[in-house]
Amino acid sequence: DNYGHMQVYNGLMKINEKREIVPDLAESYEVTPDGMEYTFHLKQSVKFHNGEELKASDVVFSGQRAQESPYTSADWASVESIEAVDDYTVKIHMKSASMAFLETLAGSFAFIVNEKAVTEYGDQYGMSVEATVGTGPYILKEWKPGELAVYEANPDYFDGEADIKKLRFKAISDTNTAVIDYYMNTVPPVSMESLSNNEDLNVVSFPSQNFTYAIINCETGIFTDVKMRQALAYAVDREKMLVLGGEGLGTIVNCSAGPDYTALPDMGSWYEYNPEKARELIQEAGLEGASVTIKTYSTGSYPMLATSMQQDLSNVGLNVEVLQMERNAFINDVLGEGQFEIGICGFSSSVADMDCMYLHLHSSCIGLTGNWSRYSSPEMDKILEDARAETDAEARKELYRQAMDLYREEVCELPFYYATDARAFTKDVTTDYANNSIDRIYPFRWVD
């Protein structure tokens, strides 16, 4: 999963402890004034775990692979082409400027893989220890999917060998016993106070990039009627959702973006909780008593959120059923195939930028890429394309304000909250990182 990838791989760029985007595999880079061409000069003598030297051809291969994948293609939608100028120089030519592109290159959707290894292992790449090959500070040595992963420090790491020499990641179902040296997941809110008072532990909190929300099928079924989507917005008590899902720790939001995202205009207003208004809209649509199924994962807080929404919608005149699904079935049937009416799920953004709305709402992203509500609007497409390319900060904010206004009018999806994230780790280790990069273990060091 992503926690493991962060130990094994690098990107051209990275986010440092000050939340600055700085070179990683790149030694340096230049961007043309119009933002239409990026030139990256690679660090030399960087070795993959299989002994192969990092070359520009690996970067080109990785970028083209990301462009073709339905999971990552939207992050690369502004890229026209990638070329290797020589063994250590890469040029990326853009279709349009993208203010979030450098941050994209610092995320896991832009990690660099070894062309030789991926070609050799094919669809089995990344499915075993020997078929997992990065440039990162740790090398995967043992892996039992869903149970255990063991990593050892890469002695040839280009940035210097890690201070912590061995990592043992173990899946633990009981969160009350989960903290050994580091709890690599969001600390459950119910445990925050007790862990914070534990003199042997450090607990750090930071805004997450994890969005909890309801997707609404805008393509087929009764919610193609915008009145019905607006009825949902009036009917659901989002304060209750935050209490149930995040135990009150988080921020209720009025669009797909987090409260601290770059280029965010004023968050604006949302529909007040008003069951009577919801009932009126359902009656106007002639759908009082209509049967609706809410689909969701069978894990975490999602079943509770679905049950809460079921109660809210039943109160305004709908006949509501909840269907809990195994995760892979939900991803395939709901997110991929659009076989749903309402779904409750989470989305982890690759950038802390308003550009995340592109994945949620652009018509080119319908399906697994991120537009899970299957919303399509030429007006929204144009706004998001213009905003992605706009270089003036205030003009960019104004475009996203327009996108948020349309989002509210159309109720493209039903936003709930961004949770507060937290990690707990033993005081035997320390790190300067207290943000979303904290799950990379390389910056941790033992306390003398």
Side-chain angles (χ1 to χ4, degrees):
D1 60 18
N2 196 49
Y3 296 139
H5 291 167
M6 294 177 76
Q7 321 314 320
V8 172
Y9 295 100
N10 299 89
L12 289 173
M13 308 294 289
K14 66 180 180 181
I15 298 175
N16 69 11
E17 69 279 6
K18 298 177 182 179
R19 292 295 299 166
E20 299 167 331
I21 303 168
V22 297
D24 193 8
L25 290 176
E27 183 72 46
S28 61
Y29 69 96
E30 298 100 36
V31 186
T32 55
D34 61 3
M36 294 297 288
E37 184 178 278
Y38 292 73
T39 302
F40 294 93
H41 305 282
L42 302 182
K43 291 174 178 173
Q44 298 188 24
S45 301
V46 173
K47 294 292 182 68
F48 285 99
H49 300 155
N50 61 358
E52 293 283 312
E53 185 182 3
L54 169 73
K55 295 291 181 67
S57 56
D58 295 301
V59 177
V60 172
F61 176 80
S62 300
Q64 291 175 343
R65 188 168 177 256
Q67 284 181 295
E68 294 168 2
S69 168
Y71 297 98
T72 56
S73 59
D75 286 296
W76 292 76
S78 297
V79 174
E80 179 67 43
S81 63
I82 312 168
E83 67 165 317
V85 177
D86 57 41
D87 279 350
Y88 303 105
T89 309
V90 176
K91 282 189 183 292
I92 299 180
H93 305 277
M94 309 294 285
K95 297 176 186 174
S96 59
S98 172
M99 294 299 290
F101 187 59
L102 282 177
E103 187 171 354
T104 295
L105 294 180
S108 59
F109 286 173
F111 283 152
I112 304 304
V113 296
N114 177 238
E115 181 178 8
K116 179 181 178 182
V118 175
T119 302
E120 177 182 350
Y121 290 105
D123 61 6
Q124 293 302 302
Y125 179 79
M127 303 298 288
S128 63
V129 170
E130 62 276 6
T132 302
V133 180
T135 55
Y138 288 96
I139 301 170
L140 181 63
K141 290 294 186 178
E142 182 182 352
W143 184 29
K144 297 177 183 178
E147 296 180 28
L148 175 74
V150 177
Y151 302 82
E152 291 183 4
N154 177 4
D156 300 318
Y157 188 51
F158 63 88
D159 223 9
E161 187 174 355
D163 188 63
I164 296 175
K165 304 303 180 187
K166 190 170 184 177
L167 308 177
R168 181 182 175 89
F169 292 0
K170 185 173 176 58
I172 301 176
S173 57
D174 183 0
T175 58
N176 292 317
T177 62
V179 177
I180 299 173
D181 285 317
Y182 183 80
Y183 184 54
M184 187 170 276
N185 206 338
T186 300
V187 173
V190 70
S191 304
M192 278 292 290
E193 184 176 355
S194 62
L195 292 181
S196 297
N197 292 332
N198 188 324
E199 62 182 16
D200 296 323
L201 296 175
N202 292 299
V203 179
V204 295
S205 300
F206 49 92
S208 79
Q209 290 173 213
N210 301 320
F211 178 42
T212 300
Y213 66 122
I215 53 176
I216 309 165
N217 196 324
C218 299
E219 187 176 60
T220 61
I222 64 174
F223 296 107
T224 55
D225 185 340
V226 70
K227 284 186 178 180
M228 289 297 292
R229 302 201 298 270
Q230 291 171 347
L232 296 182
Y234 280 118
V236 175
D237 184 347
R238 300 192 303 152
E239 295 280 353
K240 184 171 62 170
M241 289 296 197
L242 178 58
V243 170
L244 287 173
E247 297 193 27
L249 298 178
T251 304
I252 293 173
V253 292
N254 298 336
C255 71
S256 314
D260 61 341
Y261 277 20
T262 302
L264 176 72
D266 181 84
M267 189 61 85
S269 62
W270 188 249
Y271 297 76
E272 62 183 6
Y273 174 55
N274 189 334
E276 287 305 313
K277 181 63 177 176
R279 185 181 290 275
E280 288 175 16
L281 287 169
I282 291 169
Q283 290 172 345
E284 287 177 22
L287 288 166
E288 188 172 15
S291 294
V292 175
T293 299
I294 300 172
K295 295 183 177 180
T296 192
Y297 303 125
S298 58
T299 56
S301 62
Y302 295 115
M304 288 190 298
L305 296 174
T307 300
S308 176
M309 190 172 185
Q310 179 188 33
Q311 293 168 349
D312 288 345
L313 299 188
S314 297
N315 288 339
V316 297
L318 296 175
N319 181 19
V320 186
E321 175 189 7
V322 170
L323 177 61
Q324 297 180 31
M325 302 177 66
E326 187 271 330
R327 185 178 180 85
N328 287 335
F330 184 91
I331 290 171
N332 180 72
D333 297 349
V334 174
L335 307 185
E337 300 298 328
Q339 298 174 13
F340 75 104
E341 293 166 300
I342 298 171
I344 293 182
C345 54
F347 189 101
S348 183
S349 178
S350 60
V351 294
D353 187 284
M354 287 295 292
D355 189 63
C356 71
M357 291 186 73
Y358 191 100
L359 272 71
H360 279 260
L361 303 172
H362 197 279
S363 60
S364 68
C365 300
I366 288 174
L368 288 174
T369 303
N371 184 346
W372 298 336
S373 283
R374 310 182 83 82
Y375 172 75
S376 181
S377 162
E379 181 181 1
M380 182 67 84
D381 284 355
K382 180 67 165 56
I383 293 171
L384 295 177
E385 289 163 8
D386 290 348
R388 174 172 268 194
E390 180 57 64
T391 57
D392 180 83
E394 289 306 312
R396 191 164 181 250
K397 276 190 178 183
E398 171 57 24
L399 286 165
Y400 283 121
R401 185 196 62 75
Q402 295 173 26
M404 289 173 65
D405 287 347
L406 186 57
Y407 181 98
R408 182 186 184 280
E409 178 186 344
E410 296 273 287
V411 192
C412 321
E413 50 193 27
L414 193 56
F416 296 153
Y417 60 86
Y418 268 77
T420 296
D421 221 341
R423 298 290 186 271
F425 52 91
T426 174
K427 288 188 175 178
D428 290 335
V429 297
T430 186
T431 181
D432 295 327
Y433 284 66
N435 53 47
N436 282 21
S437 297
I438 198 170
D439 293 320
R440 190 161 208 197
I441 303 300
Y442 178 73
F444 279 81
R445 55 192 180 276
W446 295 112
V447 175
D448 294 333

